[in-house]
Amino acid sequence: HEDEFELYDVRVEVHDTGKPFVSHARVGDIFDVIGGRIVFPPGREASFSMYAMMAVLPFLPAKQRETHPNDWMSTDTDIASLDPACGARFPITRLGKRKLRHADYSAVPLRKK
């Protein structure tokens, strides 16, 4: 398949830091990003704070891609809440890599080499 590429599946969780939460985040809330989809675990309420989601969304495409081992995107995992007074932290964990196809994610055809 000439149009294949790899991305990491990633998991976002809500962790407690001992400080109060003010973003309606709940410890243990979780979702995975698989390809371009946000997937909630089966058997759990499909719920994640909108404000927590806003904090992590900008980082997800970079976390899905291979980065240099010295790049901070490779080493730093915890994303802070948008509200500096909120104690919630949202670690983004890389899971396994997945092969995807360009044609499944873009209407723009690949150029022939």
Side-chain angles (χ1 to χ4, degrees), residues 31-69:
F31 68 87
D32 292 342
V33 179
I34 300 171
R37 299 176 301 124
I38 293 174
V39 179
F40 292 94
R44 293 183 64 166
E45 180 183 5
S47 176
F48 202 87
S49 163
M50 177 177 70
Y51 300 103
M53 188 76 71
M54 289 169 43
V56 300
L57 280 176
F59 298 96
L60 295 177
K63 285 295 201 178
Q64 285 188 285
R65 285 158 174 76
E66 192 68 44
T67 51
H68 190 279

Side-chain angles (χ1 to χ4, degrees), residues 85-112:
C86 181
R89 292 294 179 270
F90 313 105
I92 301 173
T93 306
R94 286 177 170 166
L95 306 172
K97 285 186 180 178
R98 178 180 301 271
K99 286 189 188 286
L100 303 168
R101 294 187 59 237
H102 177 270
D104 294 333
Y105 290 88
S106 177
V108 176
L110 289 171
R111 287 191 244 169
K112 300 286 182 194

